[in-house]
Amino acid sequence: MRRILSGDEWTIVQECFDDENSLFSESIFSLANGYMGGRGNFEEGYGGKTLRSFFHAGVYYPDKAQYGWYKIGYPLKNNKVINSPDIIGIKIKINGSKLDLFKNSFKNFKRILNMKNGLLKRSFIFIDKDGMQSDIIVKRFLSMHNKNLLAISYSIVPIDRSAIVEFEPYIDGNVTNSDSGEKTDCFWKEVYKDEESLVVKTKSTDFHIASTMRVKISLDNKPLNSEYISVKKGKYIGQKYIINLPKRTALKIEKFVSSFNSRNIEKNEILKLSKSDIANNSKYDFDYLLLASEKKWKKIWKKIDIKIDGDVYSQQAIRFNLFMLNSTYTGEDKSLNISPKGFTGEMYNGSTYWDTEIYCLPYFLYLDSQIAKNLLLYRFNFLPQAINNAKLLGLKGALYPMITLDGNEGHAEWEITLMEIHRNSAMAFAIYNYIIATGDTNYMVDFGFEVIANIARFWADRVIYNSENKVYTILGVTGPDEFHNNVDNNWYTNLMAKWVLNYAYKQSAWLKNKNEEKFNEICKKYNFKKEEFKKWQEISEKIFLNRKGDIFVQFDGFFEKEQLTIYDVPHDQLPVVQHWSWDRINRVSLIKQADVILGLYLLSDHFTLNEKKENFIFYELRTLHESSLSPSIYSILASHIGLYDKAFELFKKSALYDLEDINNNTEHGLHITSMGGTCLSILEGFIGLKVKDDKIQISPYLPPEWKLLKVRVIFRERLLSISISKKEISITLLKGDDMDIFIYSNKFNVNKEKCLKCRRIIYNSKN
Ligand code: BGC
């Protein structure tokens, strides 16, 4: 995709809109507030390429899974977060011409996303069928202050002559997902409607959504009390207005919608709530309501911002990542999680993936450990389902699903997604990560041990002993690299299983010592015996980890594949997944995403610098980064081994994955979970942030293009501001007690009295 976006450090600007980039820009201009959100669709509709989508977090439907050939163990249902009623819509006709940027002419198009306050603004001159022009300005936001509120301001000024403007703000429950396995009207059923409210419910999951709209009209800023015709048909309500608009007079339509779902509220209450909420809010105007949301954003930015001076391009990109990730998931609700596309597209069904534990949770650890804990509890609460998932495959212990909304496996693709059992270790590793960062060992007692022990039990049952080589093997899996399916001894899978078994074994001893009563209670509940823990240790010691010289072999037979490097692929054949057959992809050594490198990143301390370097060089040459989850991990490892130019190149790839449509698939939605990885490539990569032995360590590097890098980090009730400039590192303790910190392995004390300053070691890529 050619770069069609511009802007500055706080804005994303689009001045060139056409049908070719409409889907891409719909994704880029998505808005959300954690509760609900949707793509950057036009209020008035668009007759060209469009994916009209608006979702309520966690409101899903068990769609029918579709298989060519069903086999035992495949899920029967394909849970998906479904499109909820369209609340942004306003149909518009000017002098009989339907306002549609696909069918009619327009000029001076400009769309701006203001990331500082979450306002989306669009302006253009619309040219109707008679060649008459009207000035249009549309603004929209989803309130961060009141999570149920959507506000739109739509202004029309006829330039050349007076105009008859017909418009119809509406709420439409006739929505479906473009890939649904069932018929449209199966998702939503009408419960109630009147002139301003619509209540619908899903058929089997019984989620209710009530939405109420209020419309305010003004002419040149003077309120106009105009009659409307109420339109009610099926699951649709609209308010149709016809206005005779004098030349150069500004018609402003303000549409406010309050939408509640029944996830955490009694379903009989939601209509009442949406009606009273809209009555309260529609007393104010658009700008006033925006102010309240803006104030909330100000607070959020104070907490999350990563400041980069000297490189507007990187600054804009990192803010885009922060804006989208933090408006997708706000962390208060333990029953919600982060889907790879958030609210920006249907792909991945709004479900939870292992992405959360590996890419997002570590980011939240430095931002707000309560959010990280809520993410862990989400998995803890689904432990019974994970135990059942393992049982369905004929195995003991717990197997967390690859894709889920209700704890059960929710995806219908066997070799790729279901065979990626490596995800199970991610759940255990997240617990370890959380405890290391927070020191909250009670988590292990209250929740963690049950999870890791059941995951260890799964691995102990899943391994196969090879008596000839006296090793345990794990056969028939897909590693993180989805380009090679059904492989044996995926190095990453084996490494992490080995780690989990050892960790669970050690934690069993720790828990017995710390709280014997709780330990006995858990052993009784799951029938764990001393011998079983011992067995985990034995298996862990003997899990097969294949290496050839210094190279860790990604899976058995990797070297027998046709050995290609990324330079063997002509540019016009990228991404290969859109140009090559699956068979061709499978038979060569090119890999989709961090696999061995992910293992080296997660268990960095287990490997020597030389091992990390050799493997980085080897696998980087073969990695296409056709998953957004890949470049950030390579970037962090590159920072750790001193390949700083490479680290910066890969950071940019991660940060710009959507803005520059690096993988030619942003049109399906943004890569929300990988945005956590992008932030980590700054925090853990350039800053070198790490928690070891209850202390923070940093070893900062500043890319030459940057003059200053500033972040805030939370660590055990302390709030630190860390600034890295060309020559200096400054650390200010903003909240909490004095603490020690390691900078390039030297110990310093940080206290409230004065800001800690020390010289920065200047590295270059040859280090
Ligand atoms: C990646 C997976 C990832 C999924 C969702 C796929 O393209 O290969 O690792 O979990 O996207 O982000």
Side-chain angles (χ1 to χ4, degrees):
M1 154 84 51
R2 78 204 137 93
R3 187 165 164 85
I4 59 154
L5 303 170
S6 55
D8 60 24
E9 53 173 31
W10 281 110
T11 60
I12 307 290
V13 177
Q14 177 187 25
E15 290 186 85
C16 140
F17 172 79
D18 60 37
D19 200 44
E20 274 317 293
N21 62 41
S22 72
L23 287 170
F24 161 79
S25 38
E26 273 181 8
S27 299
I28 294 288
F29 292 100
S30 297
L31 286 181
N33 64 7
Y35 186 80
M36 55 188 183
R39 287 167 63 81
N41 303 116
F42 296 157
E43 287 75 358
E44 69 277 6
Y46 180 68
K49 287 185 207 133
T50 183
L51 179 61
R52 207 165 168 90
S53 282
F54 194 87
F55 307 98
H56 273 238
V59 172
Y60 66 90
Y61 187 86
D63 200 9
K64 209 153 100 195
Q66 314 212 38
Y67 297 100
W69 184 5
Y70 178 79
K71 297 188 192 65
I72 292 169
Y74 290 16
L76 291 166
K77 293 285 174 196
N78 189 7
N79 280 335
K80 51 179 62 159
V81 169
I82 47 170
N83 276 299
S84 60
D86 178 348
I87 56 174
I88 68 161
I90 308 178
K91 292 175 186 161
I92 300 177
K93 270 190 190 164
I94 301 180
N95 288 328
S97 294
K98 186 169 177 219
L99 207 166
D100 180 342
L101 297 194
F102 182 66
K103 298 196 178 116
N104 294 92
S105 311
F106 62 92
K107 62 181 186 185
N108 300 357
F109 181 92
K110 188 166 184 178
R111 176 153 49 172
I112 307 172
L113 171 64
N114 183 339
M115 298 183 283
K116 206 170 194 166
N117 63 2
L119 178 70
L120 183 61
K121 182 175 169 190
R122 183 164 55 105
S123 55
F124 53 94
I125 291 177
F126 173 69
I127 304 167
D128 67 23
K129 60 180 185 335
D130 305 323
M132 297 297 132
Q133 306 188 34
S134 299
D135 234 328
I136 312 284
I137 299 178
V138 196
K139 295 189 246 173
R140 169 163 108 217
F141 71 93
L142 274 169
S143 178
M144 267 293 175
H145 168 72
N146 170 357
K147 297 287 180 77
N148 305 92
L149 185 69
L150 159 83
I152 297 168
S153 157
Y154 206 113
S155 119
I156 303 171
V157 184
I159 302 173
D160 314 302
R161 60 165 193 198
S162 65
I164 298 186
V165 182
E166 289 175 51
F167 60 93
E168 187 174 314
Y170 63 83
I171 299 174
D172 187 4
N174 297 298
V175 288
T176 184
N177 280 29
S178 60
D179 64 349
S180 17
E182 291 196 26
K183 292 218 176 64
T184 313
D185 53 5
C186 290
F187 284 171
W188 292 109
K189 282 189 150 209
E190 182 188 329
V191 176
Y192 170 87
K193 68 173 176 289
D194 61 28
E195 287 189 8
E196 58 172 18
S197 302
L198 176 72
V199 185
V200 288
K201 67 166 187 172
T202 53
K203 205 175 68 180
S204 54
T205 31
D206 203 35
F207 287 113
H208 283 51
I209 291 186
S211 308
T212 303
M213 70 172 161
R214 276 285 155 88
V215 179
K216 295 209 290 193
I217 303 163
S218 65
L219 288 188
D220 281 342
N221 287 327
K222 288 192 202 76
L224 180 77
N225 268 332
S226 177
E227 293 289 304
Y228 65 80
I229 305 159
S230 164
V231 188
K232 290 191 272 173
K233 39 183 186 195
K235 290 171 279 183
Y236 176 99
I237 58 160
Q239 298 177 359
K240 183 173 179 167
Y241 294 81
I242 303 175
I243 305 268
N244 213 329
L245 192 59
K247 179 175 161 181
R248 295 198 177 275
T249 304
L251 163 68
K252 186 150 51 146
I253 308 157
E254 290 188 327
K255 177 186 182 189
F256 306 118
V257 184
S258 173
S259 209
F260 281 76
N261 65 58
S262 62
R263 267 185 354 94
N264 297 325
I265 304 176
E266 189 43 53
K267 47 183 181 271
N268 301 327
E269 291 295 307
I270 57 173
L271 175 63
K272 217 163 53 195
L273 284 170
S274 81
K275 278 192 182 290
S276 68
D277 190 46
I278 211 66
N280 288 338
N281 283 294
S282 56
K283 285 189 231 141
Y284 306 106
D285 66 3
F286 181 91
D287 293 334
Y288 184 88
L289 293 170
L290 176 63
L291 219 63
S293 179
E294 195 167 288
K295 267 196 196 149
K296 189 69 208 256
W297 266 114
K298 201 169 169 188
K299 274 198 190 150
I300 297 173
W301 277 114
K302 197 166 170 202
K303 187 167 161 187
I304 65 173
D305 200 16
I306 294 180
K307 181 112 185 64
I308 298 167
D309 281 353
D311 177 1
V312 179
Y313 204 42
S314 293
Q315 177 68 85
Q316 181 198 46
I318 195 68
R319 289 227 170 99
F320 183 72
N321 282 252
L322 289 164
F323 176 82
M324 287 299 174
L325 178 57
N326 286 286
S327 55
T328 300
Y329 183 71
T330 49
E332 307 97 13
D333 186 340
K334 289 189 226 12
S335 62
L336 290 179
N337 209 284
I338 314 160
S339 171
K341 299 248 168 281
F343 298 89
T344 71
E346 292 178 7
M347 211 176 168
Y348 298 126
N349 295 340
S351 301
T352 305
Y353 281 62
W354 70 305
D355 303 27
T356 296
E357 281 70 22
I358 299 290
Y359 298 85
C360 300
L361 189 138
Y363 159 71
F364 287 112
L365 278 179
Y366 301 120
L367 187 75
D368 186 338
S369 55
Q370 185 56 46
I371 297 187
K373 186 172 176 184
N374 286 351
L375 288 171
L376 293 184
L377 288 170
Y378 175 92
R379 296 293 190 178
F380 172 80
N381 291 330
F382 284 141
L383 180 58
Q385 287 85 338
I387 291 173
N388 195 43
N389 282 338
K391 201 163 151 201
L392 286 174
L393 303 193
L395 290 159
K396 295 185 189 131
L399 172 62
Y400 276 91
M402 183 65 183
I403 295 162
T404 195
L405 278 159
D406 61 359
N408 298 306
E409 183 55 71
H411 204 256
E413 200 171 341
W414 181 251
E415 292 228 316
I416 302 180
T417 40
L418 299 183
M419 279 191 143
E420 285 192 59
I421 54 175
H422 64 81
R423 80 259 183 173
N424 221 20
S425 304
M427 312 302 145
F429 194 79
I431 294 171
Y432 160 81
N433 235 350
Y434 168 80
I435 293 174
I436 291 289
T438 59
D440 177 10
T441 50
N442 285 338
Y443 189 84
M444 184 57 82
V445 180
D446 297 337
F447 312 102
F449 186 69
E450 282 183 63
V451 173
I452 59 164
N454 276 294
I455 293 176
R457 178 178 266 178
F458 168 84
W459 284 125
D461 199 24
R462 183 60 168 75
V463 295
I464 294 175
Y465 189 62
N466 179 318
S467 48
E468 203 181 316
N469 299 326
K470 301 198 174 30
V471 288
Y472 285 96
T473 59
I474 302 178
L475 310 179
V477 303
T478 296
D481 163 27
E482 293 184 339
F483 282 179
H484 298 100
N485 318 131
N486 201 351
V487 299
D488 293 337
N489 293 314
N490 168 253
W491 188 83
Y492 171 83
T493 306
N494 288 19
L495 175 78
M496 295 308 290
K498 178 183 173 73
W499 177 87
V500 172
L501 286 159
N502 182 47
Y503 184 55
Y505 164 70
K506 286 194 173 142
Q507 290 304 310
S508 67
W510 176 87
L511 183 61
K512 186 165 189 283
N513 191 29
K514 164 110 181 158
N515 187 335
E516 193 156 2
E517 200 184 321
K518 182 75 186 183
F519 175 77
N520 290 337
E521 184 194 315
I522 296 173
C523 288
K524 192 163 166 222
K525 181 169 173 192
Y526 298 100
N527 197 20
F528 286 126
K529 299 263 158 47
K530 207 162 112 205
E531 307 72 61
E532 187 171 355
F533 301 136
K534 199 83 207 86
K535 184 77 183 165
W536 295 348
Q537 189 201 23
E538 186 223 314
I539 299 172
S540 169
E541 279 165 7
K542 293 189 192 148
I543 282 195
F544 178 55
L545 288 177
N546 197 0
R547 71 188 290 164
K548 188 173 175 198
D550 285 335
I551 303 304
F552 301 124
V553 183
Q554 192 179 295
F555 53 84
D556 292 356
F558 180 79
F559 280 97
E560 277 88 74
K561 299 270 170 191
E562 185 187 344
Q563 293 298 307
L564 297 185
T565 73
I566 48 176
Y567 300 108
D568 296 317
V569 188
H571 202 72
D572 60 2
Q573 291 178 25
L574 292 171
V576 293
V577 81
Q578 290 171 14
H579 294 88
W580 290 10
S581 71
W582 199 242
D583 181 74
R584 186 168 178 202
I585 287 174
N586 261 261
R587 69 182 124 94
V588 302
S589 62
L590 294 168
I591 65 178
K592 180 179 176 185
Q593 69 200 89
D595 193 304
V596 167
I597 297 304
L598 183 60
L600 296 179
Y601 154 68
L602 293 177
L603 298 182
S604 183
D605 291 345
H606 296 220
F607 301 97
T608 64
L609 181 63
N610 193 51
E611 282 172 334
K612 285 185 258 191
K613 271 191 179 160
E614 292 293 324
N615 282 278
F616 181 92
I617 292 163
F618 180 83
Y619 283 108
E620 211 255 326
L621 261 181
R622 288 157 180 81
T623 306
L624 290 166
H625 302 295
E626 289 194 17
S627 160
S628 62
L629 301 177
S630 191
S632 57
I633 299 301
Y634 273 82
S635 172
I636 301 171
L637 202 73
S639 285
H640 291 179
I641 59 178
L643 297 177
Y644 295 111
D645 294 345
K646 200 38 121 195
F648 189 50
E649 176 195 318
L650 290 158
F651 157 76
K652 283 197 286 193
K653 192 169 222 161
S654 184
L656 294 166
Y657 214 83
D658 288 317
L659 289 173
E660 295 208 339
D661 201 4
I662 302 272
N663 207 32
N664 195 31
N665 61 3
T666 296
E667 62 180 36
H668 302 304
L670 303 176
H671 298 83
I672 299 290
T673 42
S674 83
M675 294 175 175
T678 305
C679 299
L680 290 173
S681 57
I682 291 191
L683 295 167
E684 298 186 340
F686 298 145
I687 297 193
L689 188 63
K690 192 171 167 177
V691 179
K692 207 174 168 198
D693 302 331
D694 294 327
K695 303 269 178 304
I696 279 198
Q697 308 190 345
I698 59 169
S699 34
Y701 163 77
L702 196 69
E705 286 83 345
W706 297 2
K707 289 197 186 109
L708 183 93
L709 168 64
K710 194 168 174 186
V711 299
R712 280 180 170 215
V713 170
I714 300 259
F715 177 69
R716 305 195 181 180
E717 278 84 56
R718 276 93 160 190
L719 174 63
L720 297 169
S721 164
I722 306 180
S723 296
I724 321 290
S725 70
K726 290 261 175 228
K727 293 199 178 129
E728 208 174 53
I729 298 162
S730 336
I731 303 180
T732 314
L733 182 64
L734 300 170
K735 252 190 228 158
D737 299 337
D738 299 3
M739 63 185 276
D740 288 338
I741 182 166
F742 284 86
I743 306 179
Y744 302 119
S745 312
N746 300 311
K747 192 161 148 193
F748 294 87
N749 185 266
V750 197
N751 54 56
K752 278 213 217 74
E753 270 82 76
K754 71 176 201 301
C755 162
L756 169 71
K757 287 189 187 294
C758 67
R759 283 183 70 78
R760 186 169 77 77
I761 299 181
I762 314 288
Y763 287 108
N764 60 41
S765 255
K766 290 183 196 72
N767 281 81

